[in-house]
């Protein structure tokens, strides 16, 4: 028989209560702050009776039901153990290292789980999204864009995407190739990698200054809605979002509109009107949701980021073939 789960008092109680509190999915950071201001702490929130909570907060909610809070706390105790065993970092929305850009968003998650270490506060963050059915045109542009940003931008750059097939994984691979840290935002807990074929690159990302990031626990079920919900994190983490190839419907367009709503700069790669996976990008540009983008120089200029001085060969004052035709007196003067 398995031993009974440890109580919060015998584990990291603060983390356990925070995980439980963050698992109440309908809470936004603003709501969470208000609840904590009135109850005093996450621990108090779980220990008070339903009636006491309703009295303190001035309203009733199903989240106050003892059954729901007890279930959240049991799952949080198990998750605390999983985190400790797996070397996972848990970052709460009140922690100083919580990504400041994401915290600006009204629907930011209360807790982020991560593997790896990456600066998401002081670095410039570029999110790149697009179709799962990437063409050579799209992948080639992603490679050129990321390599150009790495070479031409004077500030540190981080590339963010969703570790999905197509443009997402192309962005991660391009970042690794260019020596840039890259962050994969997952639509599931860190107990697995989906798709499984991306496990190797996921490990490479985490080991090379990048990160795997999620707001889902290991016990959360994977379902279709998770992938749309995680797009808010891809958009919210960024200084700017680049859409590279998309049909007229798809997750990339949802992410673009989220980024625009968060007041992020949105760019899109244009394409031929006859190309299926350029229609979405062209629509974003024509509707003024996104600016047309064709090179890393355009992005750096549009974002007003400092550019690294161009490196070139030291030029001589005079061409060598010209000086050989000068007289000895002329050469002496030169």
């Amino acid at each position: 028989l398995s031993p009974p789960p440890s109580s919060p008092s015998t584990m990291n109680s603060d983390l356990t209560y925070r995980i439980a509190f963050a698992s109440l999915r309908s809470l936004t950071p603003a709501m969470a702050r208000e609840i904590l201001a009135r109850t005093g702490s996450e621990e108090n929130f779980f220990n008070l009776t339903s009636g006491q909570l309703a009295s303190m907060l001035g309203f009733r909610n199903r989240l106050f039901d003892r059954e729901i809070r007890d279930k959240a706390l049991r799952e949080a105790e198990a998750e605390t153990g999983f985190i400790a065993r797996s070397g996972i970092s848990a970052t709460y929305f009140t922690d100083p290292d919580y990504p400041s850009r994401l915290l600006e968003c009204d629907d930011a998650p209360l807790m982020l789980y991560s593997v790896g270490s990456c600066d998401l506060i002081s670095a410039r963050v570029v999110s790149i999204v697009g179709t799962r059915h990437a063409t050579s045109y799209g992948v080639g542009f992603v490679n050129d864009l990321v390599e150009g940003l790495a070479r031409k931008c004077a500030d540190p750059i981080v590339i963010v995407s969703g570790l999905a097939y197509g443009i997402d994984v192309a962005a991660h691979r391009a970042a690794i190739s260019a020596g840039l840290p890259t962050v994969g935002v997952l639509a599931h807990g860190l107990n697995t990698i989906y798709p499984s074929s991306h496990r190797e690159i996921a490990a490479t990302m985490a080991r090379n200054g990048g990160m795997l990031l999620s707001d889902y626990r290991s016990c959360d079920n994977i379902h279709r809605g998770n992938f749309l919900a995680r797009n808010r994190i891809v958009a919210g983490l960024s200084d700017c979002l680049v859409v590279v190839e998309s049909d007229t419907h798809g997750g990339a367009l949802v992410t673009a509109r989220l980024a625009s709503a968060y007041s992020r700069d949105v760019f899109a790669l244009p394409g031929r009107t006859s190309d299926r996976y350029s229609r979405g990008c062209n629509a974003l540009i024509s509707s003024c949701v996104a600016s047309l983008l064709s090179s890393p120089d355009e992005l750096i200029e549009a974002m007003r980021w400092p550019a690294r001085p161009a490196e070139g060969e030291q030029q001589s004052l005079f061409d060598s073939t010209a000086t050989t035709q000068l007289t000895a007196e002329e050469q002496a003067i030169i």
Side-chain angles (χ1 to χ4, degrees):
L1 295 176
S2 301
S6 301
S7 66
S9 60
T10 61
M11 302 175 68
N12 187 333
S13 60
D14 286 344
L15 179 59
T16 300
Y17 283 117
R18 285 180 169 189
I19 290 173
F21 189 64
S23 72
L24 304 174
R25 286 282 169 181
S26 60
L27 291 183
T28 64
M31 292 171 61
R33 288 190 182 94
E34 183 64 24
I35 290 173
L36 294 176
R38 297 193 184 192
T39 60
S41 70
E42 293 83 1
E43 182 175 358
N44 288 345
F45 174 84
F46 285 97
N47 290 335
L48 292 168
T49 67
S50 299
Q52 288 171 325
L53 280 175
S55 177
M56 280 186 172
L57 299 175
F59 63 93
R60 291 188 176 275
N61 190 293
R62 62 183 299 271
L63 297 179
F64 303 166
D65 293 350
R66 174 54 61 191
E67 181 181 352
I68 290 177
R69 287 184 290 149
D70 285 349
K71 181 176 182 290
L73 201 54
R74 288 194 303 271
E75 292 176 346
E77 290 168 1
E79 194 68 16
T80 303
F82 170 74
I83 286 172
R85 294 190 302 272
S86 306
I88 292 171
S89 297
T91 307
Y92 199 47
F93 77 108
T94 58
D95 291 340
D97 54 345
Y98 189 97
S100 53
R101 296 174 187 84
L102 185 57
L103 199 56
E104 297 170 357
C105 306
D106 293 339
D107 54 354
L110 301 187
M111 184 72 81
L112 293 172
Y113 305 97
S114 61
V115 173
S117 179
C118 185
D119 180 7
L120 287 170
I121 296 179
S122 61
R124 309 289 190 180
V125 180
V126 180
S127 290
I128 300 176
V129 296
T131 180
R132 293 169 180 258
H133 308 282
T135 69
S136 58
Y137 170 61
V139 173
F141 176 78
V142 168
N143 291 337
D144 291 343
L145 175 66
V146 174
E147 187 276 332
L149 291 174
R151 181 165 44 87
K152 297 181 177 184
C153 187
D155 290 343
I157 296 283
V158 174
I159 302 297
V160 171
S161 197
L163 200 64
Y165 291 115
I167 293 299
D168 284 23
V169 74
H172 295 309
R173 288 184 174 129
I176 292 171
S177 178
L180 295 180
T182 181
V183 176
V185 183
L186 309 181
H188 49 74
L190 293 171
N191 55 320
T192 188
I193 293 294
Y194 178 85
S196 58
S197 58
H198 291 170
R199 286 177 179 171
E200 184 176 348
I201 188 170
T204 302
M205 291 161 59
R207 292 168 182 163
N208 288 273
M211 180 187 290
L212 303 176
L213 185 71
S214 178
D215 65 325
Y216 291 100
R217 302 165 300 166
S218 61
C219 63
D220 290 326
N221 295 325
I222 302 176
H223 58 80
R224 189 173 182 178
N226 294 7
F227 293 89
L228 287 177
R230 67 94 183 270
N231 290 346
R232 78 193 194 285
I233 300 178
V234 174
L237 285 173
S238 69
D239 289 302
C240 64
L241 179 95
V242 180
V243 183
V244 182
E245 294 193 312
S246 176
D247 204 345
T248 51
H249 299 284
L253 298 191
V254 173
T255 311
R257 292 190 174 95
L258 284 169
S260 179
Y262 295 153
S263 299
R264 305 296 190 259
D265 290 275
V266 181
F267 302 91
L269 172 69
R272 295 180 299 189
T273 57
S274 58
D275 290 350
R276 175 180 177 183
Y277 294 110
S278 289
R279 294 172 188 169
C281 290
N282 293 341
L284 288 173
I285 295 168
S286 64
S287 62
C288 298
V289 173
S291 300
L292 186 151
L293 184 67
S294 62
S295 72
D297 300 273
E298 289 180 355
L299 189 148
I300 292 171
E301 182 178 357
M303 296 302 296
R304 298 183 179 180
W305 291 344
R308 185 175 287 121
E311 296 180 2
E313 295 181 1
Q314 179 66 41
Q315 298 182 355
S316 60
L317 184 61
F318 294 94
D319 183 72
S320 58
T321 57
T323 56
T324 58
Q325 299 173 8
L326 301 177
T327 65
E329 185 178 11
E330 290 170 334
Q331 289 185 11
I333 293 173
I334 289 174

